[in-house]
Amino acid sequence: TGVQTCALRSKQWYQRRVRGLMVVLTLIAVMLAGMKASGQTVQEGTLMGTAIGTCFGYWLGASCFFFALAYFCDTKISAIEVLSLCGYGLFGTLLCMFLSTLLMASASDLFFYATWGVLGVSSAVRMGYIFLERTAVRKQGVTVAAIVASVHLLFILYLKFVYHKTYEAAAKINPIHVR
């Protein structure tokens, strides 16, 4: 029974960590599908490399930043928990980008802001709340929660408005379009 309990805990730990990775990989696929749906293609893997770098860069970079922030503000959270939390937080980003770029690509930015306001804010608030609850000093907890939520929401805006401009600029540099 002791060995079974240890094996079950190990399996649960592994599953929790892999789910964040799967969300990041799915977000990359959604971003690439959005580029394909808009008709923008660039040869030599430029767009795929940019999508992978952007998503993994945020996931790992923001996790390191959030962990350092948590360390300085005495938040009781491990690096693996921050990595998982940041990966799970990207699920709201994934849904927001999926709905606004693939399903409602012709809709105005109002639809994006609605999904950002519901899905993006809910995942950001959840991430911030976990940091708030694990911080000993309430004032520091509010600061950590606000920074975590703000960075997460700004990343969604970055993906929608800046990232799309990046691949449009890449298409102009290498003007091989397939429609």
Side-chain angles (χ1 to χ4, degrees), residues 17 76-87 131 134:
R17 299 326 173 249
K76 304 296 182 219
I77 192 165
S78 70
I80 294 294
E81 289 173 324
V82 172
L83 196 64
S84 293
L85 184 62
C86 194
F131 278 88
R134 293 190 177 194

Side-chain angles (χ1 to χ4, degrees), residues 16-17 19-25 27 54-67 77-94 120 123-124 126-128 130-131 147-149 151-153 155-156:
R16 283 188 212 128
R17 299 326 173 249
R19 288 179 190 145
L21 174 65
M22 297 312 295
V23 169
V24 172
L25 292 174
L27 180 60
T54 301
C55 292
F56 276 107
Y58 172 77
W59 184 40
L60 299 173
S63 295
C64 290
F65 174 69
F66 296 157
F67 182 69
I77 192 165
S78 70
I80 294 294
E81 289 173 324
V82 172
L83 196 64
S84 293
L85 184 62
C86 194
Y88 281 129
L90 285 173
F91 186 70
T93 305
L94 168 67
S123 67
R126 179 66 180 153
M127 286 174 60
I130 291 172
F131 278 88
I147 291 172
V148 166
V151 167
H152 189 69
L153 289 172
F155 178 66
I156 299 172

Side-chain angles (χ1 to χ4, degrees), residues 1 8 62 70 84 86 101 155 175 178:
T1 58
L8 181 62
S84 293
C86 194
T101 58
F155 178 66
V178 178

Side-chain angles (χ1 to χ4, degrees), residues 95-175:
L95 289 176
C96 184
M97 296 306 292
F98 176 73
L99 291 173
S100 66
T101 58
L102 293 178
L103 294 182
M104 298 295 224
S106 62
S108 68
D109 287 337
L110 182 63
F111 182 75
F112 167 74
Y113 285 119
T115 58
W116 181 72
V118 173
L119 300 170
V121 169
S122 64
S123 67
V125 166
R126 179 66 180 153
M127 286 174 60
Y129 179 74
I130 291 172
F131 278 88
L132 175 67
E133 287 298 312
R134 293 190 177 194
T135 305
V137 179
R138 196 66 161 178
K139 190 180 254 186
Q140 290 177 341
V142 170
T143 303
V144 170
I147 291 172
V148 166
S150 297
V151 167
H152 189 69
L153 289 172
L154 288 173
F155 178 66
I156 299 172
L157 290 175
Y158 169 80
L159 286 181
K160 178 64 178 174
F161 296 109
V162 178
Y163 180 77
H164 287 281
K165 296 216 183 331
T166 301
Y167 75 74
E168 288 170 3
K172 288 178 184 176
I173 291 171
N174 190 358

